[in-house]
Amino acid sequence: MTNSIFKKLAAATVGTALIFSLGETIPARAATLTYNFSNDDKTLIGTFSFDQAAADDQEVTIAEGLKISASYGGQSYTEADDPLASDKS
């Protein structure tokens, strides 16, 4: 079940990743960006946030402060629940 939540989370955040890849370069300022996401039927809802300065290479890792909070099927999940999550920088 945990694997399923992260597949759904990845699908929900693809649009945001495209914004970063197609958008302008983000200036390095100390600000935390938070995005809310959900699927159409609201069975998956959550947020992810990160330090804007960490997105200079358009990829933010857990080691750089990526935080994920999601709720699916009455269960709460964070980035720590993903067995494939990496703390690489």
Side-chain angles (χ1 to χ4, degrees), residues 5-81:
I5 182 70
F6 287 105
K7 284 182 183 178
K8 291 179 184 289
L9 177 59
T13 58
V14 166
T16 302
L18 288 174
I19 290 170
F20 282 112
S21 66
L22 298 175
E24 297 178 18
T25 303
I26 298 173
R29 290 182 286 156
T32 299
L33 298 177
T34 301
Y35 293 92
N36 297 315
F37 61 86
S38 64
N39 59 356
D40 289 339
D41 62 2
K42 306 290 188 216
T43 56
L44 169 65
I45 59 171
T47 63
F48 67 94
S49 62
F50 56 90
D51 184 336
Q52 184 179 18
D56 63 345
D57 62 357
Q58 298 182 353
E59 181 179 335
V60 182
T61 65
I62 293 170
E64 293 172 317
L66 176 64
K67 299 289 182 203
I68 301 170
S69 174
S71 175
Y72 179 72
Q75 286 286 130
S76 295
Y77 300 91
T78 70
E79 67 281 352
D81 294 309

